[in-house]
Amino acid sequence: MQLLTEMKDNTVCTVKWMLGLSVETEEALRGWEIHPGSEIRVICNDGSGLMIIGAGERRIALNAETSGHIRV
């Protein structure tokens, strides 16, 4: 299991868990179909924790705080 922030661009991975997120953030991610067991693609990882990920047809920008709480 690794941090999402450690994944390179164009990596497809499965979310294992999301801990330490605010209720609002976790609900938003689930609304975008990002939850444990879902498959996501890292579109862009700038190395500082800021990321763009894909889930299905959606593209979502994550800040370093959020991406640091997701394990894949």
Side-chain angles (χ1 to χ4, degrees), residues 4 16 20 22 25 28 38 40 44 47 49 55 57 68 72:
L4 178 59
K16 302 295 185 200
S22 69
T25 300
S38 64
I40 60 174
C44 179
E57 298 296 317
V72 294

Side-chain angles (χ1 to χ4, degrees), residues 6-43:
E6 297 172 348
M7 298 293 101
K8 303 224 182 287
D9 293 356
N10 297 314
T11 302
V12 176
C13 44
T14 301
V15 175
K16 302 295 185 200
W17 52 260
M18 305 183 304
L19 291 177
L21 296 170
S22 69
V23 173
E24 295 83 10
T25 300
E26 189 167 344
E27 286 176 356
L29 290 172
R30 288 182 184 277
W32 295 319
E33 300 175 7
I34 300 171
H35 51 81
S38 64
E39 189 173 90
I40 60 174
R41 174 182 299 274
V42 176
I43 306 297

Side-chain angles (χ1 to χ4, degrees), residues 4-5 7 9 42-53 60-68:
L4 178 59
T5 55
M7 298 293 101
D9 293 356
V42 176
I43 306 297
C44 179
N45 180 354
D46 76 349
S48 72
L50 300 174
M51 306 182 81
I52 299 173
I53 62 170
I60 299 109
L62 299 178
N63 63 19
E65 181 180 350
T66 301
S67 60

